[in-house]
Amino acid sequence: MQSLFEQYLPNVAEIPDEFIEATQETIYMTVYTSIIAGILGLIFGILLVVTRPGGLLEQRAFFNILDKVINIVRSIPFIILLALLVTVTRFIVGTSIGATAALVPLIVGVVPFYARQIEVALLEVDPGVIEAAEAMGTSPFGIIFRVYLREGLPGIIRVSALTIINVISLTAMAGAVGAGGLGNLAITRGYNRFQTDVTWVAVVVILILVFISQAVSNWLIRRVSH
């Protein structure tokens, strides 16, 4: 088995420790980005729903500003966002290279995407349920937590899985500019040194991470739907 591994994946066989480290960096970036951007995106997504015209806490001016800011940030390609935030990243983290430094542009890039996904998920909640809660005298915050978040939970889990998959792909892109992780390994060794087997194995590991996140989300959706 070892001889076959060395025969068909010779370059990978030489750097097992680098693959382990790169995988850990990708998981690190994915987990921390998902947690921080998830919290902020959820808050902004809820604000988009409740402050929109006809919403529970209608604030047209606030909604229009937030809506436009989210659209603007979402429209910036991530690779350009990485360059734009170099100074900010260096100020916050102390460096613009490495997995921790990549968290800043990753979070900035993911928050508006996730906020929009949350908005869509919450708008799918049956308006009749919301009206019934209002008729019972439930406060706006009570409706947010007891109706929107509870009734929209399957949709929230679904869009969260989509966002996590998006984060994994963004970490690979961030690797192109020195963020570390599997993307960095695939570029620096696989592409720049023409070590094709390194690139393929990096892609396979990334796909495994995607499949795991999707499988977990599907399991959670089945659990909350019953």
Side-chain angles (χ1 to χ4, degrees), residues 75-120:
S75 66
I76 302 174
F78 183 68
I79 196 72
I80 296 177
L81 191 64
L82 284 168
L84 288 175
L85 294 175
V86 166
T87 304
V88 177
T89 300
R90 194 176 290 121
F91 174 76
I92 295 174
V93 183
T95 179
S96 59
I97 299 174
T100 301
L103 293 178
V104 176
L106 281 169
I107 291 168
V108 172
V110 172
V111 166
F113 175 83
Y114 188 55
R116 193 64 76 187
Q117 297 297 318
I118 289 293
E119 178 191 20
V120 172

Side-chain angles (χ1 to χ4, degrees), residues 165-226:
I165 292 171
N166 184 53
V167 170
I168 295 172
S169 69
L170 292 180
T171 62
M173 195 182 302
V177 292
L182 291 165
N184 180 65
L185 189 63
I187 293 295
T188 56
R189 278 194 172 268
Y191 181 77
N192 293 339
R193 301 185 188 182
F194 303 101
Q195 297 177 355
T196 309
D197 57 326
V198 173
T199 302
W200 278 109
V201 173
V203 170
V204 169
V205 175
I206 290 172
L207 288 175
I208 290 172
L209 294 176
V210 169
F211 292 152
I212 291 173
S213 65
Q214 188 64 61
V216 172
S217 70
N218 291 340
W219 178 78
L220 288 173
I221 290 173
R222 286 195 299 268
R223 290 278 295 181
V224 301
S225 297
H226 291 133

Side-chain angles (χ1 to χ4, degrees), residues 22-97:
T23 302
Q24 291 173 339
E25 288 174 342
T26 295
I27 294 173
Y28 167 81
M29 288 186 285
T30 301
V31 170
Y32 277 90
T33 300
S34 298
I35 293 173
I36 299 172
I39 294 171
L40 295 175
L42 181 64
I43 293 171
F44 288 131
I46 292 172
L47 289 174
L48 283 170
V49 172
V50 300
T51 61
R52 68 191 305 107
L56 290 174
L57 303 170
E58 181 177 341
Q59 292 287 339
R60 289 177 182 268
F62 178 84
F63 171 79
N64 288 331
I65 293 172
L66 181 60
D67 184 62
K68 286 178 173 56
V69 169
I70 287 176
N71 285 338
I72 290 171
V73 178
R74 282 190 65 197
S75 66
I76 302 174
F78 183 68
I79 196 72
I80 296 177
L81 191 64
L82 284 168
L84 288 175
L85 294 175
V86 166
T87 304
V88 177
T89 300
R90 194 176 290 121
F91 174 76
I92 295 174
V93 183
T95 179
S96 59
I97 299 174

